[in-house]
Amino acid sequence: MTDRRKGSNQNTREEFQAYNQYGYSYSHDEQNSGAVQTPAPAEAAKKARSRRSGGVFFRVFVFLTLLTVGIVVVLQTVFRLEAVCVIGHETRTAQEIINLSGLSYGQNIFSISTDDVRANLEKDHTIILKDIQIKHPNLVYLQVEERYPVALMQWLGVHYVLDKDGLVMEESTGTELIGTMPLVTGFRVSNAHKGQFLTVKSQLQLEAYSRLIQELNLQNYAKQVTEIRLNNPDNIYLVTSEGISVRVGKPEDLKRKIQAVRTAMSYLRALDEDAGVLDVNEPTDVKYRPDN
């Protein structure tokens, strides 16, 4: 009886032989046969870390998704062009210039290219884009300058209207434009096309013309001049509406020279002079030589 209990409390070993090739043996402790196995500490920590990393990844994914959606919504609703402020226009309306620029209300302000706006405005040779400023979130400033016809030139039987920089604004084979602006003579022209700058063989002529015509307009005296003679850019002559030839000389100190012309012509008109040469090359020593 005692031997039987001892045998039941001891570890039993059973051996099985299968197919005469493989043997299987196992041992079990009757006292521990009902115990629950627990995972090793290292394996439990690994699983906990895996769960934590999975949770962090999910939260980051949700955050990035919400952030992306928020950015898209802001770009679609806030950064939209609502106003264009045009500065410097006179004869053209602000809306005309906006239409020429290619800007459209409601477009994404980040899609606006200053190079594209400049290229669009350059298609109209009467507009000069001086500056463009994009003010976030929804405003654009355009500073422009309009080109004006200030002088005439005749070449190969065609009359060309020039601006102050020598850009050809109009061309005509008629004579209806003659007499409304100073006629420029003496240009050695190589090419002339509407919308392009006049091509001349002497750049000094073009520079002298530009400086002189701008000073005449600044002093509001261009309408009193019927002809600008530029055969020699270092010895310029004007012809006034009274018929007086004016020697300006070099295109230097033009402000004082044109002031001298205005003062002297007021005196000559009072004397009813309509022919002769007025020399203002030295504006402090003005000379007049009548024809008779």
Side-chain angles (χ1 to χ4, degrees):
M1 197 63 186
T2 303
D3 294 338
R4 195 177 300 166
R5 282 196 299 271
K6 286 181 179 181
S8 62
N9 290 331
Q10 293 177 349
N11 290 338
T12 60
R13 182 175 180 84
E14 298 175 348
E15 295 182 0
F16 296 89
Q17 188 71 28
Y19 304 108
N20 299 320
Q21 293 180 355
Y22 301 96
Y24 299 88
S25 64
Y26 66 92
S27 62
H28 60 86
D29 191 348
E30 291 181 349
Q31 296 178 352
N32 298 327
S33 61
V36 178
Q37 294 183 350
T38 58
E43 185 179 352
K46 182 178 181 182
K47 289 182 178 180
R49 286 196 300 270
S50 178
R51 286 193 297 270
R52 286 195 299 270
S53 63
V56 171
F57 174 79
F58 178 75
R59 288 193 293 271
V60 171
F61 174 77
V62 171
F63 172 76
L64 292 177
T65 301
L66 293 176
L67 181 62
T68 302
V69 172
I71 291 174
V72 171
V73 171
V74 169
L75 290 176
Q76 294 294 327
T77 57
V78 178
F79 293 96
R80 291 287 178 179
L81 181 61
E82 294 183 1
V84 180
C85 183
V86 182
I87 304 169
H89 65 99
E90 294 184 22
T91 62
R92 308 292 289 272
T93 67
Q95 190 58 52
E96 284 179 323
I97 295 173
I98 293 170
N99 293 339
L100 289 171
S101 72
L103 295 172
S104 58
Y105 297 110
Q107 76 177 102
N108 191 305
I109 201 164
F110 290 106
S111 68
I112 297 174
S113 168
T114 57
D115 291 337
D116 289 345
V117 173
R118 188 175 301 277
N120 289 334
L121 287 174
E122 285 179 352
K123 294 177 182 177
D124 188 317
H125 63 273
T126 67
I127 301 295
I128 304 172
L129 178 63
K130 306 293 288 186
D131 189 27
I132 175 173
Q133 296 183 17
I134 300 175
K135 300 292 186 180
H136 298 98
N138 49 28
L139 178 62
V140 171
Y141 284 94
L142 296 178
Q143 183 179 355
V144 300
E145 179 182 328
E146 295 184 29
R147 294 187 184 275
Y148 294 96
V150 295
L152 293 171
M153 182 200 71
Q154 188 176 13
W155 183 56
L156 300 178
V158 179
H159 285 90
Y160 297 90
V161 180
L162 306 178
D163 84 327
K164 62 181 179 60
D165 299 316
L167 183 132
V168 179
M169 300 195 67
E170 298 289 343
E171 56 184 69
S172 173
T173 56
T175 59
E176 65 275 5
L177 298 176
I178 296 179
T180 60
M181 289 173 283
L183 178 67
V184 183
T185 60
F187 269 143
R188 294 190 287 276
V189 181
S190 300
N191 208 348
H193 289 290
K194 181 180 177 180
Q196 298 180 12
F197 287 99
L198 188 68
T199 304
V200 295
K201 295 179 181 179
S202 172
Q203 190 64 26
L204 292 176
Q205 283 186 313
L206 200 57
E207 292 173 0
Y209 157 77
S210 181
R211 294 174 62 182
L212 178 59
I213 198 69
Q214 288 188 71
E215 188 59 44
L216 287 171
N217 279 284
L218 282 173
Q219 298 197 34
N220 197 27
Y221 201 72
K223 292 182 180 180
Q224 307 301 320
V225 176
T226 59
E227 185 178 353
I228 300 174
R229 297 174 180 172
L230 287 170
N231 302 72
N232 183 355
D234 286 331
N235 194 25
I236 303 170
Y237 275 82
L238 306 177
V239 178
T240 68
S241 56
E242 293 84 0
I244 302 294
S245 295
V246 180
R247 180 175 178 253
V248 176
K250 293 183 177 181
E252 300 171 352
D253 200 12
L254 290 175
K255 181 178 180 180
R256 291 203 303 163
K257 288 180 178 181
I258 301 304
Q259 288 174 342
V261 172
R262 297 176 62 183
T263 302
M265 287 305 304
S266 297
Y267 177 74
L268 293 175
R269 276 194 296 270
L271 296 177
D272 201 24
E273 292 284 350
D274 57 3
V277 178
L278 177 67
D279 192 336
V280 296
N281 184 49
E282 294 292 338
T284 57
D285 184 22
V286 177
K287 299 175 181 178
Y288 175 70
R289 185 181 72 252
D291 280 352
N292 50 15

